Amino acid sequence: MLRVGPLKPSLMDTLTGDYDALVLPEPSERAAFFSQHGESITAAVTSGRTGVDAELMSHLPNLGAIVHFGVGYDTTDVDAAAQRGIGVSNTPDVLNDCVADLAVGLVIDALRQVSFSDRYVRAGRWISDGNTPLTRQVTGKRVGIIGLGRIGTAIADRLVGFRCAISYHNRNEVDGSPHTYFSTPAALAGAVDVLIVAASGGKGTRHLVDADVLDALGPQGYLINIARGSVVDEDALVERLTDGRLAGAGLDVFANEPAVPEALLTLDNVVLLPHVGSGTVETRAAMEALTLQNLDQFLADGTLTTPVTR
Protein backbone atom coordinates (compact mmCIF):
# COMPACT_ATOMS: atom_id res chain seq x y z
CA MET A 1 0.00 0.00 0.00
CA LEU A 2 1.16 3.51 -0.80
CA ARG A 3 0.37 6.88 0.74
CA VAL A 4 0.57 9.70 -1.78
CA GLY A 5 0.88 13.15 -0.26
CA PRO A 6 -0.02 14.46 3.21
CA LEU A 7 -3.25 13.41 4.87
CA LYS A 8 -5.03 13.93 8.20
CA PRO A 9 -2.39 13.08 10.85
CA SER A 10 -4.45 10.36 12.53
CA LEU A 11 -5.12 8.76 9.14
CA MET A 12 -1.42 8.80 8.30
CA ASP A 13 -0.66 7.19 11.65
CA THR A 14 -3.26 4.48 11.03
CA LEU A 15 -1.96 3.75 7.53
CA THR A 16 1.56 3.43 8.86
CA GLY A 17 0.77 1.51 12.04
CA ASP A 18 -2.05 -0.78 10.89
CA TYR A 19 -1.37 -1.19 7.18
CA ASP A 20 2.43 -0.78 6.94
CA ALA A 21 1.86 1.79 4.23
CA LEU A 22 4.79 3.00 2.20
CA VAL A 23 5.14 6.73 1.56
CA LEU A 24 5.83 8.09 -1.90
CA PRO A 25 9.26 9.72 -1.68
CA GLU A 26 10.57 12.89 -3.30
CA PRO A 27 11.03 12.73 -7.10
CA SER A 28 14.81 12.29 -6.84
CA GLU A 29 14.33 9.07 -4.87
CA ARG A 30 11.48 7.54 -6.84
CA ALA A 31 13.38 5.48 -9.39
CA ALA A 32 14.94 3.31 -6.68
CA PHE A 33 11.65 3.23 -4.78
CA PHE A 34 9.70 1.99 -7.80
CA SER A 35 12.36 -0.58 -8.57
CA GLN A 36 12.07 -2.02 -5.07
CA HIS A 37 8.36 -1.59 -4.33
CA GLY A 38 6.47 -0.75 -7.52
CA GLU A 39 5.15 -4.24 -8.26
CA SER A 40 4.01 -4.91 -4.70
CA ILE A 41 1.70 -1.89 -4.37
CA THR A 42 -1.97 -2.67 -4.98
CA ALA A 43 -3.65 0.35 -3.37
CA ALA A 44 -2.85 4.04 -3.02
CA VAL A 45 -4.40 6.44 -0.52
CA THR A 46 -4.31 10.12 -1.39
CA SER A 47 -6.40 13.30 -1.30
CA GLY A 48 -7.94 15.66 -3.79
CA ARG A 49 -5.10 18.08 -3.22
CA THR A 50 -2.45 15.58 -4.34
CA GLY A 51 -3.98 12.80 -6.40
CA VAL A 52 -2.40 10.11 -8.55
CA ASP A 53 -1.44 11.01 -12.10
CA ALA A 54 -0.93 8.71 -15.08
CA GLU A 55 2.84 8.72 -14.73
CA LEU A 56 2.68 7.45 -11.16
CA MET A 57 0.21 4.76 -12.22
CA SER A 58 2.63 3.60 -14.89
CA HIS A 59 5.17 2.74 -12.20
CA LEU A 60 2.65 0.68 -10.21
CA PRO A 61 1.68 -2.20 -12.54
CA ASN A 62 -0.47 -3.98 -9.95
CA LEU A 63 -2.30 -0.95 -8.63
CA GLY A 64 -5.97 -1.79 -8.23
CA ALA A 65 -7.45 1.11 -6.26
CA ILE A 66 -6.90 4.80 -5.63
CA VAL A 67 -8.65 5.76 -2.40
CA HIS A 68 -9.27 9.47 -1.84
CA PHE A 69 -9.65 11.21 1.49
CA GLY A 70 -12.15 13.86 0.43
CA VAL A 71 -14.86 14.31 -2.14
CA GLY A 72 -12.57 15.87 -4.77
CA TYR A 73 -10.55 13.71 -7.12
CA ASP A 74 -9.75 16.12 -9.97
CA THR A 75 -5.99 15.78 -9.37
CA THR A 76 -6.21 12.07 -10.21
CA ASP A 77 -6.23 11.02 -13.85
CA VAL A 78 -9.47 9.06 -13.72
CA ASP A 79 -9.35 8.34 -17.47
CA ALA A 80 -5.95 6.69 -17.13
CA ALA A 81 -7.20 4.79 -14.09
CA ALA A 82 -10.22 3.51 -16.01
CA GLN A 83 -8.03 2.40 -18.90
CA ARG A 84 -5.86 0.43 -16.49
CA GLY A 85 -8.82 -1.06 -14.63
CA ILE A 86 -7.99 0.83 -11.44
CA GLY A 87 -10.91 1.64 -9.16
CA VAL A 88 -11.19 5.16 -7.74
CA SER A 89 -13.11 6.11 -4.59
CA ASN A 90 -13.84 9.28 -2.67
CA THR A 91 -15.77 10.22 0.47
CA PRO A 92 -19.10 11.72 -0.65
CA ASP A 93 -22.09 12.67 1.49
CA VAL A 94 -20.29 12.77 4.83
CA LEU A 95 -19.05 16.32 4.17
CA ASN A 96 -22.18 17.75 2.53
CA ASP A 97 -23.51 19.46 5.63
CA CYS A 98 -20.31 21.18 6.69
CA VAL A 99 -19.49 22.43 3.19
CA ALA A 100 -23.06 23.68 2.78
CA ASP A 101 -22.92 25.37 6.18
CA LEU A 102 -19.72 27.14 5.18
CA ALA A 103 -21.18 28.22 1.84
CA VAL A 104 -24.07 29.90 3.63
CA GLY A 105 -21.60 31.44 6.06
CA LEU A 106 -19.67 32.92 3.15
CA VAL A 107 -22.86 34.31 1.65
CA ILE A 108 -23.70 36.01 4.95
CA ASP A 109 -20.14 37.23 5.45
CA ALA A 110 -19.73 38.57 1.92
CA LEU A 111 -23.04 40.43 1.88
CA ARG A 112 -23.04 41.63 5.50
CA GLN A 113 -19.24 42.11 5.60
CA VAL A 114 -18.83 40.30 8.90
CA SER A 115 -15.07 39.75 8.56
CA PHE A 116 -14.46 43.34 7.47
CA SER A 117 -16.51 44.65 10.39
CA ASP A 118 -14.53 42.51 12.82
CA ARG A 119 -11.27 43.94 11.45
CA TYR A 120 -12.78 47.43 11.63
CA VAL A 121 -13.52 47.12 15.33
CA ARG A 122 -10.17 45.51 16.17
CA ALA A 123 -8.33 48.33 14.39
CA GLY A 124 -10.12 50.95 16.52
CA ARG A 125 -11.86 52.39 13.49
CA TRP A 126 -15.33 52.32 15.09
CA ILE A 127 -14.00 54.98 17.48
CA SER A 128 -11.95 56.94 14.95
CA ASP A 129 -14.09 56.61 11.81
CA GLY A 130 -17.59 55.96 13.11
CA ASN A 131 -20.00 53.36 11.82
CA THR A 132 -19.20 51.05 8.94
CA PRO A 133 -20.92 51.54 5.57
CA LEU A 134 -24.28 49.86 5.06
CA THR A 135 -24.20 46.31 3.74
CA ARG A 136 -26.58 44.03 1.80
CA GLN A 137 -29.44 41.93 3.17
CA VAL A 138 -29.24 38.16 2.63
CA THR A 139 -32.90 37.25 3.12
CA GLY A 140 -34.84 37.22 -0.13
CA LYS A 141 -31.84 37.36 -2.45
CA ARG A 142 -31.87 35.60 -5.81
CA VAL A 143 -29.28 32.83 -5.55
CA GLY A 144 -27.84 30.78 -8.38
CA ILE A 145 -26.00 27.50 -7.80
CA ILE A 146 -23.66 26.01 -10.37
CA GLY A 147 -23.73 22.30 -9.62
CA LEU A 148 -26.94 21.12 -7.97
CA GLY A 149 -25.47 17.84 -6.76
CA ARG A 150 -25.32 16.63 -3.18
CA ILE A 151 -23.57 19.72 -1.83
CA GLY A 152 -25.41 22.15 -4.09
CA THR A 153 -28.73 20.72 -2.98
CA ALA A 154 -27.73 21.02 0.68
CA ILE A 155 -26.84 24.67 0.09
CA ALA A 156 -30.18 25.30 -1.62
CA ASP A 157 -32.07 23.66 1.24
CA ARG A 158 -30.47 26.02 3.72
CA LEU A 159 -31.02 29.17 1.68
CA VAL A 160 -34.68 28.37 1.20
CA GLY A 161 -34.89 29.14 4.92
CA PHE A 162 -33.70 32.66 4.08
CA ARG A 163 -36.57 32.96 1.59
CA CYS A 164 -34.08 33.07 -1.26
CA ALA A 165 -35.25 32.30 -4.79
CA ILE A 166 -33.01 29.44 -5.96
CA SER A 167 -31.93 28.82 -9.56
CA TYR A 168 -29.25 26.49 -10.85
CA HIS A 169 -27.16 25.28 -13.76
CA ASN A 170 -26.13 21.67 -14.30
CA ARG A 171 -25.03 19.73 -17.35
CA ASN A 172 -28.56 18.35 -17.25
CA GLU A 173 -31.77 19.51 -15.61
CA VAL A 174 -32.49 17.78 -12.29
CA ASP A 175 -35.74 15.84 -12.46
CA GLY A 176 -38.19 16.90 -9.79
CA SER A 177 -36.17 19.87 -8.59
CA PRO A 178 -38.33 22.75 -7.32
CA HIS A 179 -35.66 25.23 -8.43
CA THR A 180 -35.39 27.09 -11.74
CA TYR A 181 -33.02 25.62 -14.33
CA PHE A 182 -30.79 27.68 -16.62
CA SER A 183 -29.05 26.02 -19.55
CA THR A 184 -25.85 28.09 -19.34
CA PRO A 185 -23.80 29.56 -16.48
CA ALA A 186 -23.97 33.04 -18.04
CA ALA A 187 -27.76 32.95 -18.24
CA LEU A 188 -27.91 31.89 -14.59
CA ALA A 189 -25.46 34.59 -13.51
CA GLY A 190 -27.48 37.26 -15.25
CA ALA A 191 -30.60 36.35 -13.29
CA VAL A 192 -29.22 36.26 -9.73
CA ASP A 193 -27.68 38.41 -7.02
CA VAL A 194 -25.41 35.70 -5.61
CA LEU A 195 -23.72 32.97 -7.66
CA ILE A 196 -22.47 29.94 -5.71
CA VAL A 197 -20.02 27.54 -7.34
CA ALA A 198 -20.53 23.96 -6.17
CA ALA A 199 -19.49 22.05 -9.30
CA SER A 200 -16.89 19.29 -9.39
CA GLY A 201 -13.37 20.20 -10.44
CA GLY A 202 -11.46 18.71 -13.33
CA LYS A 203 -10.88 19.36 -17.02
CA GLY A 204 -14.59 19.35 -17.82
CA THR A 205 -15.36 22.32 -15.57
CA ARG A 206 -12.14 24.33 -15.90
CA HIS A 207 -13.06 28.04 -16.12
CA LEU A 208 -16.74 27.19 -16.35
CA VAL A 209 -17.16 30.52 -14.58
CA ASP A 210 -15.32 32.74 -17.04
CA ALA A 211 -15.21 36.45 -17.80
CA ASP A 212 -18.57 36.34 -19.56
CA VAL A 213 -20.24 34.70 -16.57
CA LEU A 214 -18.71 37.22 -14.17
CA ASP A 215 -19.79 40.11 -16.37
CA ALA A 216 -23.32 38.71 -16.43
CA LEU A 217 -23.26 38.61 -12.61
CA GLY A 218 -22.28 42.26 -12.69
CA PRO A 219 -21.30 45.05 -10.31
CA GLN A 220 -24.13 44.28 -7.86
CA GLY A 221 -23.38 40.55 -7.80
CA TYR A 222 -21.45 38.32 -5.42
CA LEU A 223 -19.51 35.14 -6.21
CA ILE A 224 -19.13 32.34 -3.65
CA ASN A 225 -16.79 29.42 -4.43
CA ILE A 226 -16.63 26.33 -2.23
CA ALA A 227 -15.89 23.91 -5.11
CA ARG A 228 -12.47 24.06 -6.77
CA GLY A 229 -10.40 27.06 -7.74
CA SER A 230 -10.06 25.71 -11.27
CA VAL A 231 -13.78 26.14 -11.95
CA VAL A 232 -13.39 29.95 -11.91
CA ASP A 233 -11.15 32.03 -14.16
CA GLU A 234 -9.22 33.49 -11.25
CA ASP A 235 -7.50 36.24 -13.27
CA ALA A 236 -10.84 37.47 -14.57
CA LEU A 237 -12.29 37.30 -11.05
CA VAL A 238 -9.45 39.34 -9.56
CA GLU A 239 -9.76 42.00 -12.25
CA ARG A 240 -13.49 42.44 -11.63
CA LEU A 241 -13.17 42.52 -7.86
CA THR A 242 -10.43 45.14 -7.97
CA ASP A 243 -12.10 47.45 -10.49
CA GLY A 244 -15.65 47.27 -9.13
CA ARG A 245 -17.24 45.08 -11.76
CA LEU A 246 -18.28 42.68 -8.97
CA ALA A 247 -19.67 43.66 -5.58
CA GLY A 248 -17.76 41.02 -3.64
CA ALA A 249 -16.81 37.40 -3.16
CA GLY A 250 -16.45 34.63 -0.61
CA LEU A 251 -13.71 32.18 -1.56
CA ASP A 252 -12.69 28.94 0.14
CA VAL A 253 -10.70 27.65 -2.84
CA PHE A 254 -8.12 29.03 -5.24
CA ALA A 255 -6.44 28.08 -8.50
CA ASN A 256 -2.94 27.53 -7.11
CA GLU A 257 -3.38 26.65 -3.45
CA PRO A 258 -2.03 27.61 -1.02
CA ALA A 259 -1.10 30.70 -3.05
CA VAL A 260 -3.76 33.41 -3.06
CA PRO A 261 -3.63 36.30 -5.56
CA GLU A 262 -1.93 39.18 -3.78
CA ALA A 263 -4.46 41.67 -5.10
CA LEU A 264 -7.20 39.98 -3.08
CA LEU A 265 -5.41 40.33 0.24
CA THR A 266 -6.19 44.01 0.64
CA LEU A 267 -9.80 43.96 -0.55
CA ASP A 268 -12.40 44.45 2.16
CA ASN A 269 -15.21 43.12 -0.06
CA VAL A 270 -13.63 39.66 -0.33
CA VAL A 271 -13.68 36.89 2.29
CA LEU A 272 -10.72 34.51 2.01
CA LEU A 273 -10.60 31.07 3.64
CA PRO A 274 -7.87 28.39 3.45
CA HIS A 275 -9.92 25.58 1.85
CA VAL A 276 -11.71 24.55 5.04
CA GLY A 277 -15.12 23.53 3.70
CA SER A 278 -14.97 20.13 5.37
CA GLY A 279 -12.71 21.28 8.18
CA THR A 280 -14.63 20.26 11.27
CA VAL A 281 -13.75 17.60 13.80
CA GLU A 282 -16.94 15.67 13.07
CA THR A 283 -16.68 15.71 9.29
CA ARG A 284 -12.99 14.92 9.06
CA ALA A 285 -13.51 11.94 11.39
CA ALA A 286 -16.32 10.69 9.15
CA MET A 287 -14.16 11.18 6.06
CA GLU A 288 -11.33 9.23 7.68
CA ALA A 289 -13.66 6.38 8.60
CA LEU A 290 -15.05 6.18 5.06
CA THR A 291 -11.55 6.29 3.57
CA LEU A 292 -10.53 3.30 5.68
CA GLN A 293 -13.80 1.52 4.87
CA ASN A 294 -13.05 1.86 1.16
CA LEU A 295 -9.52 0.60 1.71
CA ASP A 296 -10.59 -2.36 3.86
CA GLN A 297 -13.28 -3.38 1.38
CA PHE A 298 -10.84 -3.26 -1.51
CA LEU A 299 -8.28 -5.34 0.37
CA ALA A 300 -10.99 -7.85 1.33
CA ASP A 301 -12.78 -8.38 -1.96
CA GLY A 302 -11.44 -5.95 -4.57
CA THR A 303 -14.45 -3.62 -4.51
CA LEU A 304 -14.95 -0.09 -3.16
CA THR A 305 -17.65 1.23 -0.83
CA THR A 306 -18.06 4.56 -2.59
CA PRO A 307 -16.58 4.22 -6.07
CA VAL A 308 -16.40 7.26 -8.31
CA THR A 309 -18.82 6.92 -11.22
CA ARG A 310 -18.13 8.73 -14.48
Side-chain angles (χ1 to χ4, degrees):
M1 183 188 313
L2 179 67
R3 173 169 67 81
V4 181
L7 296 167
K8 185 169 179 277
S10 59
L11 178 56
M12 291 193 291
D13 290 344
T14 297
L15 292 174
T16 299
D18 295 353
Y19 296 84
D20 295 323
L22 300 168
V23 179
L24 184 68
E26 294 299 316
S28 61
E29 303 173 3
R30 288 182 187 177
F33 178 84
F34 292 140
S35 177
Q36 182 177 359
H37 301 291
E39 293 188 358
S40 67
I41 293 170
T42 60
V45 181
T46 187
S47 71
R49 296 191 184 186
T50 307
V52 176
D53 59 22
E55 181 182 0
L56 177 54
M57 294 179 208
S58 70
H59 294 289
L60 307 173
N62 295 310
L63 185 66
I66 301 170
V67 177
H68 289 84
F69 174 80
V71 70
Y73 53 88
D74 48 293
T75 52
T76 287
D77 192 330
V78 292
D79 292 330
Q83 291 171 3
R84 293 173 176 271
I86 300 170
V88 178
S89 71
N90 64 345
T91 58
D93 294 322
V94 295
L95 46 67
N96 296 353
D97 285 335
C98 279
V99 176
D101 289 350
L102 191 74
V104 174
L106 283 171
V107 172
I108 296 171
D109 199 338
L111 272 66
R112 295 302 309 273
Q113 293 201 296
V114 177
S115 293
F116 163 71
S117 296
D118 176 81
R119 294 192 299 270
Y120 191 90
V121 172
R122 291 174 187 271
R125 294 182 61 189
W126 193 12
I127 296 172
S128 62
D129 298 348
N131 291 335
T132 58
L134 297 179
T135 60
R136 300 293 184 85
Q137 176 175 298
V138 174
T139 297
K141 284 291 181 286
R142 300 171 301 165
V143 175
I145 300 174
I146 294 182
L148 197 70
R150 296 180 178 97
I151 292 173
T153 297
I155 294 169
D157 290 346
R158 284 156 172 75
L159 288 173
V160 165
F162 286 81
R163 301 196 299 277
C164 292
I166 308 296
S167 305
Y168 73 97
H169 167 74
N170 262 8
R171 283 176 294 182
N172 300 296
E173 190 169 357
V174 178
D175 291 339
S177 172
H179 308 304
T180 304
Y181 175 71
F182 284 82
S183 60
T184 68
L188 174 64
V192 300
D193 306 302
V194 180
L195 185 64
I196 301 176
V197 184
S200 300
K203 292 180 288 186
T205 59
R206 177 175 170 76
H207 290 186
L208 183 64
V209 177
D210 58 13
D212 291 340
V213 175
L214 296 172
D215 287 341
L217 186 57
Q220 302 302 314
Y222 293 82
L223 181 81
I224 307 297
N225 190 3
I226 48 77
R228 284 291 185 268
S230 61
V231 183
V232 177
D233 182 337
E234 191 167 83
D235 291 338
L237 175 63
V238 171
E239 288 177 7
R240 283 152 181 80
L241 286 168
T242 54
D243 66 16
R245 283 183 282 168
L246 280 178
L251 308 173
D252 185 44
V253 290
F254 303 89
N256 299 296
E257 296 176 1
V260 175
E262 187 173 352
L264 297 181
L265 300 179
T266 58
L267 296 181
D268 287 328
N269 62 334
V270 182
V271 183
L272 306 171
L273 300 181
H275 200 151
V276 292
S278 65
T280 66
V281 172
E282 297 89 346
T283 290
R284 291 290 171 84
M287 290 166 60
E288 180 175 348
L290 186 51
T291 299
L292 293 173
Q293 184 178 341
N294 271 289
L295 180 58
D296 289 339
Q297 184 168 321
F298 172 75
L299 295 175
D301 62 18
T303 65
L304 294 163
T305 308
T306 51
V308 168
T309 57
R310 302 175 56 249

mmCIF file of all heavy atoms in Angstrom, residues 63-65 80-87:
data_model
loop_
_atom_site.group_PDB
_atom_site.id
_atom_site.type_symbol
_atom_site.label_atom_id
_atom_site.label_comp_id
_atom_site.label_asym_id
_atom_site.label_seq_id
_atom_site.Cartn_x
_atom_site.Cartn_y
_atom_site.Cartn_z
ATOM 1 N N LEU A 63 -1.400 -1.834 -9.357
ATOM 2 C CA LEU A 63 -2.301 -0.947 -8.627
ATOM 3 C C LEU A 63 -3.744 -1.254 -9.007
ATOM 4 O O LEU A 63 -4.093 -1.313 -10.189
ATOM 5 C CB LEU A 63 -1.977 0.520 -8.963
ATOM 6 C CG LEU A 63 -2.756 1.575 -8.171
ATOM 7 C CD1 LEU A 63 -2.377 1.530 -6.694
ATOM 8 C CD2 LEU A 63 -2.491 2.978 -8.743
ATOM 9 N N GLY A 64 -4.581 -1.454 -7.981
ATOM 10 C CA GLY A 64 -5.974 -1.790 -8.231
ATOM 11 C C GLY A 64 -6.959 -0.762 -7.737
ATOM 12 O O GLY A 64 -8.121 -0.755 -8.167
ATOM 13 N N ALA A 65 -6.519 0.125 -6.823
ATOM 14 C CA ALA A 65 -7.450 1.111 -6.263
ATOM 15 C C ALA A 65 -6.713 2.377 -5.855
ATOM 16 O O ALA A 65 -5.596 2.317 -5.329
ATOM 17 C CB ALA A 65 -8.189 0.539 -5.057
ATOM 18 N N ALA A 80 -7.055 7.656 -17.127
ATOM 19 C CA ALA A 80 -5.954 6.687 -17.131
ATOM 20 C C ALA A 80 -6.249 5.533 -16.185
ATOM 21 O O ALA A 80 -5.949 4.370 -16.490
ATOM 22 C CB ALA A 80 -4.655 7.382 -16.732
ATOM 23 N N ALA A 81 -6.849 5.853 -15.035
ATOM 24 C CA ALA A 81 -7.197 4.790 -14.087
ATOM 25 C C ALA A 81 -8.205 3.830 -14.707
ATOM 26 O O ALA A 81 -8.071 2.601 -14.585
ATOM 27 C CB ALA A 81 -7.764 5.402 -12.807
ATOM 28 N N ALA A 82 -9.210 4.365 -15.384
ATOM 29 C CA ALA A 82 -10.222 3.509 -16.015
ATOM 30 C C ALA A 82 -9.600 2.618 -17.083
ATOM 31 O O ALA A 82 -9.930 1.430 -17.199
ATOM 32 C CB ALA A 82 -11.322 4.377 -16.613
ATOM 33 N N GLN A 83 -8.681 3.180 -17.859
ATOM 34 C CA GLN A 83 -8.025 2.396 -18.904
ATOM 35 C C GLN A 83 -7.213 1.251 -18.325
ATOM 36 O O GLN A 83 -7.082 0.191 -18.941
ATOM 37 C CB GLN A 83 -7.128 3.300 -19.742
ATOM 38 C CG GLN A 83 -7.893 4.295 -20.604
ATOM 39 C CD GLN A 83 -6.987 5.326 -21.249
ATOM 40 O OE1 GLN A 83 -5.758 5.278 -21.107
ATOM 41 N NE2 GLN A 83 -7.589 6.270 -21.961
ATOM 42 N N ARG A 84 -6.687 1.449 -17.137
ATOM 43 C CA ARG A 84 -5.865 0.430 -16.491
ATOM 44 C C ARG A 84 -6.681 -0.486 -15.581
ATOM 45 O O ARG A 84 -6.134 -1.381 -14.933
ATOM 46 C CB ARG A 84 -4.747 1.091 -15.672
ATOM 47 C CG ARG A 84 -3.712 1.814 -16.517
ATOM 48 C CD ARG A 84 -2.730 2.581 -15.640
ATOM 49 N NE ARG A 84 -1.677 3.209 -16.434
ATOM 50 C CZ ARG A 84 -0.529 2.626 -16.769
ATOM 51 N NH1 ARG A 84 -0.272 1.398 -16.340
ATOM 52 N NH2 ARG A 84 0.351 3.262 -17.495
ATOM 53 N N GLY A 85 -7.976 -0.241 -15.493
ATOM 54 C CA GLY A 85 -8.817 -1.062 -14.631
ATOM 55 C C GLY A 85 -8.632 -0.779 -13.158
ATOM 56 O O GLY A 85 -8.884 -1.650 -12.310
ATOM 57 N N ILE A 86 -8.221 0.437 -12.834
ATOM 58 C CA ILE A 86 -7.988 0.832 -11.441
ATOM 59 C C ILE A 86 -9.241 1.504 -10.900
ATOM 60 O O ILE A 86 -9.739 2.471 -11.482
ATOM 61 C CB ILE A 86 -6.786 1.794 -11.344
ATOM 62 C CG1 ILE A 86 -5.520 1.127 -11.880
ATOM 63 C CG2 ILE A 86 -6.591 2.272 -9.903
ATOM 64 C CD1 ILE A 86 -4.350 2.083 -12.054
ATOM 65 N N GLY A 87 -9.761 1.016 -9.793
ATOM 66 C CA GLY A 87 -10.912 1.641 -9.161
ATOM 67 C C GLY A 87 -10.522 2.911 -8.439
ATOM 68 O O GLY A 87 -9.410 3.025 -7.906
#
